[in-house]
Amino acid sequence: MDFNMKKLASDAGIFFTRAVQFTEEKFGQAEKTELDAHFENLLARADSTKNWTEKILRQTEVLLQPNPSARVEEFLYEKLDRKVPSRVTNGELLAQYMTEAAGELGPTTPYGKTLIKVAEAEKRLGAAERDFIHTASINFLTPLRNFLEGDWKTISKERRLLQNRRLDLDACKARLKKAKAAEAKATTVPDFQETRPRNYILSASASALWNDEVDKSEQELRVAQTEFDRQAEVTRLLLEGISSTHVNHLRCLHEFVESQTTYYAQCYRHMLDLQKQLGRFPGTFVGTTEPASPPLSSTSPTTTAATMPVEPSVAGLAPPGEAALCLEEVAPPASGTRKARVLYDYEAADSSELALLADELITVYSLPGMDPDWLIGERGNKKGKVPVTYLELLS
């Protein structure tokens, strides 16, 4: 019990000394040991790294999971060391609703068929999003979180210890300075006319006491200086390790960009497939990375810029590598033409398509090798491609 009380009293004394030194420094009544400029730059660089890492981490979490309630739930699971339950993505939930709607509204109707096709695409998009979130969390978020919860806590602990060592050093310097001033005052000859032997005895005794106090203060100062230098070196090594942290975060950033590129490339492919299924000719849209048919004129093999064909070809009318046929040159077959009623208004996307009005009757037919989602429609002297989903074929 005595040992504990002594230790408690010693710790309380050290804490009080540090508090006094810190307060006097704030009021400008005590000198403060300044760190060198290189050390201060390392501290500023570490603080900046920590602050920006926190911001990047939080915003990346928002990007991967925009729902704040879901983020709080995941945070609680992680703190409780429990596995985060699997969560349905928004795309997968939309796909589920579309599938159920198609089943109730009629899966064989044009609207129901389209709902099912879009639902399949949304489901694939949701699966791609899930893979992206999982990959980004492991390759990017986890290293950033490990830095904040591991390396930075160690750096902060050593910085606090360095601050305490500096306060102890400055307190020893202040104590030595006061002891030397008191010693110098005690060794001066008393300024009075009648010097008595008792005064000389008191003066000599005080001088000896302050001399011992100076020696003790100098010894404490040497010990405090040694501990401060040792702690400063430890902290300096940790702060210089921030450069390695930057290299690690750079590698993780490259992996994050790679996973994000893969995710958006998958989404683009899925949407292109859906577009083809719905009858949209991909070569007619600005931004398509590949032309709908090989260009007739020779171009440089290194040219990769996105182009839009001036006259889009008819899907299925020309095999790859051959020039597309003009609709005016296509003659209807001798047999196989049918009448069809238009279900919805349709606006032609280009000159190869035929605009439709709801409830009108047109003649339609198909050609060998043509996309099954499209037919050739005729209305008077007008001819063009029409999507099957907009038609009700009549006998």
Side-chain angles (χ1 to χ4, degrees), residues 67 71 80 103 136 152 167 188-189 232 276 281 299 311 317 353 360:
N67 188 346
R71 293 200 302 272
L80 296 175
W152 182 253
L167 291 173
T188 58
V189 178
K276 293 177 181 178
F281 195 59
T299 57
E311 295 185 2
L317 295 184
E353 297 181 1
E360 71 173 334

Side-chain angles (χ1 to χ4, degrees), residues 281-286 288 290-297 306-314 324 326 349-353:
F281 195 59
T284 62
F285 292 91
V286 178
T288 305
E290 296 181 0
S293 60
L296 300 179
S297 58
T307 59
M308 182 176 69
V310 178
E311 295 185 2
S313 59
V314 181
C326 297
D350 53 58
S351 59
S352 67
E353 297 181 1

